[in-house]
Amino acid sequence: MKTFLLAAATLITPFATALASDEALLTEARKVATTLPPKLIVALQDEIKKSGPEGAIPVCKDMAPKMAGEISQQTGWKIKRVSLKARNDARAIPDAWEKAALEDFDKRAAAGESPAKLEKGEKIGNEYRFVKALPVQALCLSCHGPVDQLSPAIKAAIGQNYPNDRATGYAEGQIRGVISVRKAL
């Protein structure tokens, strides 16, 4: 019996260790991914108070990537925002894995799951990848809402900053995109 238990423990230990490692990576990735959105929202709110919604466009365009870069430097995780309806073709186009996750999230949200709870994390090759859905908030609608409801100033600023924009037509609660984080193992 002792030999059997020793053999069983020897076989189970690597799996238990791998599960604990995966859970630790998921926890760490989730923490990193949830760092950027609150900082971005505060910066947007501050800038909207100062210069209106059209004046806040540089927050998403310029400040958000800088914030993501700072978080990446602090944590060792690469972080970015991507979407199926990108506003910025240079930074927001999802790769195949992110695209599949976004499409799955849209199906799950359409089936009634809460977009705020949608996430996916897994080891792929020599890295850990994680995405968390970004639901549209009321604050976002000034720039991402239905085109016929956008102010002329917003339309002009979007056209000037994002000539290939596809990131309008959203309603509150819909999935705007994901925060994507990845780390080499």
Side-chain angles (χ1 to χ4, degrees), residues 40-111:
L40 182 56
I41 288 170
V42 168
L44 279 168
Q45 290 170 332
D46 289 347
E47 194 57 41
I48 288 169
K49 285 178 188 172
K50 290 179 199 169
S51 56
E54 62 276 2
I57 288 174
V59 172
C60 286
K61 182 180 179 199
D62 302 319
M63 285 180 67
K66 288 178 186 173
M67 290 176 184
E70 290 169 3
I71 293 167
S72 292
Q73 286 180 343
Q74 293 166 1
T75 65
W77 289 80
K78 293 179 184 175
I79 183 171
K80 64 180 180 173
R81 299 171 301 152
V82 297
S83 176
L84 294 174
K85 291 172 52 176
R87 176 153 279 172
N88 185 331
D89 288 341
R91 289 185 221 165
I93 302 294
D95 64 21
W97 185 84
E98 293 161 333
K99 183 176 187 248
L102 277 158
E103 290 169 345
D104 178 59
F105 288 177
D106 281 345
K107 287 178 190 170
R108 291 168 58 190

Side-chain angles (χ1 to χ4, degrees), residues 75-179:
T75 65
W77 289 80
K78 293 179 184 175
I79 183 171
K80 64 180 180 173
R81 299 171 301 152
V82 297
S83 176
L84 294 174
K85 291 172 52 176
R87 176 153 279 172
N88 185 331
D89 288 341
R91 289 185 221 165
I93 302 294
D95 64 21
W97 185 84
E98 293 161 333
K99 183 176 187 248
L102 277 158
E103 290 169 345
D104 178 59
F105 288 177
D106 281 345
K107 287 178 190 170
R108 291 168 58 190
E113 284 189 58
S114 169
K117 295 181 180 181
L118 296 173
E119 60 181 32
K120 178 181 181 176
E122 67 181 324
K123 286 182 183 174
I124 299 180
N126 65 344
E127 65 182 359
Y128 190 83
R129 306 228 22 212
F130 177 83
V131 287
K132 180 158 183 54
L134 290 170
V136 174
Q137 298 182 27
L139 175 72
C140 309
L141 294 175
S142 295
C143 296
H144 294 286
V147 174
D148 63 344
Q149 294 177 20
L150 302 181
S151 74
I154 290 288
K155 288 179 186 177
I158 290 171
Q160 182 180 19
N161 287 281
Y162 304 106
N164 299 316
D165 179 56
R166 295 179 304 284
T168 56
Y170 288 98
E172 189 171 352
Q174 287 183 309
I175 297 171
R176 166 71 186 96
V178 295
I179 292 285

